[in-house]
Amino acid sequence: MRNSRLLSVESWKRWIWSFVRLVLIVGLSFLILYPILQKISTAIKDKEDLYSPIVVWVPIHFTWDNFKQAIKIMDYWDTLVNTFALSASTTILTAATCALAGYGFARLKFKGSNLLFAGVVLTILVPPSTILIPLYLNLKDFTLMGLIPLLTGKSANLLNTYWPFILTALTANSLKAGLYIFIFRQFFRGIPKEVEEAAYIDGAGVGRTFSRIMLPNAIPAIITVLLFSFVWQWNDSFFTTTYLSSGKVMSVQLAALPYNLNSLISGGSSQADPFYLSMVQDTGILLAILPLIIIYFFVQRYFVEGIERTGIVG
């Protein structure tokens, strides 16, 4: 009798825990999917449905005009190619340099390494806005420690070019680089030292051991960093709109979309319907995140495996 009561209590506990998990999953899914579903509903509405009290999710007048307007004003296909090229190039460079830095912190102990790694952690914690002004001024009058004025007679202006992204990626200082270095360091520390020692006995140096032994074993960490870096660079509006105020990339085009649409409709006056401007901007946002959703469908398995094996959760 007592055993049956214990079993009943355990079954109730399991049922309650399953119910709590279901509520949490449904709640989190709603928080994630609600903005996307709302933008889809808005994108396919006609102007007439904006002020209709009976239209909430399903439009009465279905239309693709919002997509056509957003694609035209954003110069979407050229912008898509430029954004992909920028994100892919900075992602590859960032992954390479952060892997080198992470391996150095994990295996190559030197004087002050812990202090330097503390600085890396601080780059994760410190808001990027605190260093925006010195970064902007340095890139506007870039001297490369005085070498450029010595050779050309004046400093170089790197704004409105891709050079700020390339240089920061090459030096492991790009967007969220501190987090990527941390991920690689944690992963390399988890690889047994005997693997490296065997390579050293066979005559391999540090560089060869890193490229031939450590990197092939770090595929999960590499995939995780590649995906994080690509998505964050694609979605970044803080640095991108600062460095490329007139470039054809998604963040810049999205920021300028309401103004450009207003200029197209009303010739620059303030008479354009603000709700309609918001509707087309929501459509532009949907077009901007659509490639990422498509990419995620193909790489989600590798992404989950990478997250599990790098140990950045749990």
Side-chain angles (χ1 to χ4, degrees):
M1 186 71 176
R2 185 178 180 182
N3 291 335
S4 63
R5 288 181 179 176
L6 289 175
L7 289 173
S8 177
V9 171
E10 290 297 325
S11 64
W12 271 102
K13 285 182 178 178
R14 286 195 298 269
W15 186 87
I16 292 172
W17 175 236
S18 300
F19 178 75
V20 170
R21 282 190 301 177
L22 176 64
V23 171
L24 289 174
I25 292 172
V26 171
L28 289 172
S29 300
F30 174 78
L31 289 175
I32 295 171
L33 294 177
Y34 176 79
I36 299 176
L37 295 176
Q38 188 179 47
K39 282 177 172 52
I40 293 174
S41 174
T42 302
I44 59 178
K45 286 179 182 177
D46 191 71
K47 280 185 182 180
E48 298 179 21
D49 294 337
L50 275 175
Y51 301 101
S52 175
I54 62 173
V55 175
V56 180
W57 287 98
V58 182
I60 297 177
H61 305 92
F62 178 87
T63 180
W64 292 106
D65 287 344
N66 296 326
F67 285 97
K68 294 176 182 177
Q69 287 276 29
I71 289 172
K72 178 183 177 181
I73 296 170
M74 293 172 63
D75 197 3
Y76 181 73
W77 301 113
D78 287 342
T79 301
L80 183 67
V81 172
N82 293 338
T83 309
F84 185 86
L86 175 63
S87 300
S89 58
T90 55
T91 293
I92 293 170
L93 293 174
T94 297
T97 54
C98 290
L100 284 168
Y103 178 69
F105 284 120
R107 287 291 194 256
L108 307 179
K109 296 301 178 183
F110 52 91
K111 189 175 181 180
S113 61
N114 292 331
L115 184 61
L116 283 175
F117 186 70
V120 171
V121 174
L122 281 176
T123 62
I124 305 174
L125 303 176
V126 175
S129 56
T130 58
I131 60 173
L132 178 63
I133 294 177
L135 264 178
Y136 182 88
L137 294 176
N138 187 30
L139 292 169
K140 185 179 180 182
D141 296 304
F142 188 71
T143 62
L144 192 60
M145 296 180 291
L147 292 177
I148 294 178
L150 184 65
L151 296 174
T152 63
K154 60 180 180 179
S155 60
N157 184 4
L158 301 183
L159 298 177
N160 286 321
T161 68
Y162 289 169
W163 280 110
F165 304 97
I166 295 172
L167 290 176
T168 52
L170 281 172
T171 54
N173 283 295
S174 58
L175 182 66
K176 308 291 185 180
L179 176 61
Y180 308 146
I181 294 172
F182 179 79
I183 291 173
F184 277 118
R185 175 182 179 268
Q186 295 303 105
F187 190 89
F188 286 134
R189 288 184 66 184
I191 297 177
K193 289 186 177 180
E194 290 78 9
V195 176
E196 288 175 285
E197 292 171 354
Y200 293 148
I201 292 172
D202 291 338
V206 174
R208 190 173 181 184
T209 301
F210 171 72
S211 61
R212 296 289 184 87
I213 304 298
M214 303 301 285
L215 273 185
N217 285 292
I219 296 299
I222 294 172
I223 292 174
T224 302
V225 169
L226 287 174
L227 291 173
F228 275 157
S229 180
F230 186 86
V231 171
W232 272 327
Q233 179 59 57
W234 186 285
N235 291 328
D236 173 62
S237 60
F238 184 78
F239 287 112
T240 304
T241 53
T242 301
Y243 298 156
L244 285 174
S245 58
S246 59
K248 280 192 177 182
V249 292
M250 286 295 178
S251 299
V252 177
Q253 294 295 327
L254 280 176
L257 180 58
Y259 173 78
N260 292 336
L261 180 61
N262 184 46
S263 300
L264 180 67
I265 294 175
S266 57
S269 67
S270 58
Q271 298 178 358
D273 187 350
F275 294 104
Y276 177 65
L277 297 180
S278 177
M279 173 188 286
V280 178
Q281 187 171 33
D282 282 348
T283 308
I285 294 172
L286 190 63
L287 287 170
I289 66 175
L290 184 61
L292 298 179
I293 296 174
I294 295 173
I295 291 172
Y296 179 74
F297 284 141
F298 290 98
V299 300
Q300 58 176 324
R301 180 169 63 89
Y302 305 102
F303 177 71
V304 173
E305 289 177 359
I307 290 291
E308 290 175 350
R309 294 191 60 181
T310 49
I312 61 176
V313 293

